[in-house]
Amino acid sequence: MAERLVKPMPDRDTVAYWQALADGKLVVTHCHDCGHWTWPPRPICSGCHGDNLALDEVKGTGEVYSWIVVHRSTTPDMMQYVPYCLALVRLDEQADIYIPGRLISDKEVHRGMRVRVVPERITDHLGDLAWTTEDVPA
Ligand SMILES: [Zn+2]
């Protein structure tokens, strides 16, 4: 379990998302009417504006769309990683869904770099994620 001073603050729309990460899974709001994926979790589909939604598990793979290198941490928890890469990852499930997270890799980052999610347990009910280039399924 990771020690964190600054933690995500779940609300009614995100509590199951943070719980899933604590349980080692990445889930994304999925519309069961039109099939659209929406992130971050919310009660209305961004594709059809319907509400027939569920948090469904995704493969947890994607590619780096953009990134920055953080040289000054804004939170004490992240100071141990400085400098680190904060990547915006486009999920394989849908071309317009992006999830940010710290990139764990010893390779030079580039657009299109294949990554997979690394769920991180903060508490029994709260998780976070990072991305890695190691052992990415084809
Ligand atoms: Zn929809």
Side-chain angles (χ1 to χ4, degrees):
M1 220 176 278
E3 290 292 321
R4 286 280 187 93
L5 297 172
V6 179
K7 300 178 179 82
M9 296 184 64
D11 60 24
R12 70 174 185 202
D13 298 326
T14 63
V15 66
Y17 170 79
W18 300 116
Q19 177 69 64
L21 286 170
D23 295 338
K25 299 181 291 189
L26 176 59
V27 295
V28 175
T29 305
H30 190 210
C31 179
H32 289 199
D33 286 338
C34 76
H36 194 84
W37 299 87
T38 300
W39 191 91
R42 59 186 141 214
I44 302 295
C45 173
S46 57
C48 72
H49 305 279
D51 62 358
N52 186 15
L53 306 170
L55 283 169
D56 290 340
E57 187 170 1
V58 293
K59 291 179 284 189
T61 53
E63 62 182 42
V64 172
Y65 177 74
S66 186
W67 68 93
I68 61 170
V69 176
V70 177
H71 292 275
R72 291 186 182 183
S73 174
T74 56
T75 67
D77 300 314
M78 300 303 283
M79 288 183 71
Q80 63 185 307
Y81 303 117
V82 171
Y84 65 91
C85 179
L86 181 63
L88 188 60
V89 172
R90 180 168 51 198
L91 289 187
D92 287 340
E93 275 75 9
Q94 185 172 290
D96 65 348
I97 186 164
Y98 307 92
I99 300 180
R102 183 172 61 91
L103 177 62
I104 304 166
S105 179
D106 56 5
K107 299 174 184 167
E108 186 172 344
V109 64
H110 61 87
R111 190 170 182 171
M113 177 182 248
R114 296 291 300 160
V115 296
R116 70 172 171 82
V117 71
V118 181
E120 179 180 71
R121 177 177 285 228
I122 300 171
T123 70
D124 288 344
H125 303 289
L126 197 59
D128 201 353
L129 66 77
W131 299 100
T132 184
T133 56
E134 298 299 317
D135 302 321
V136 180

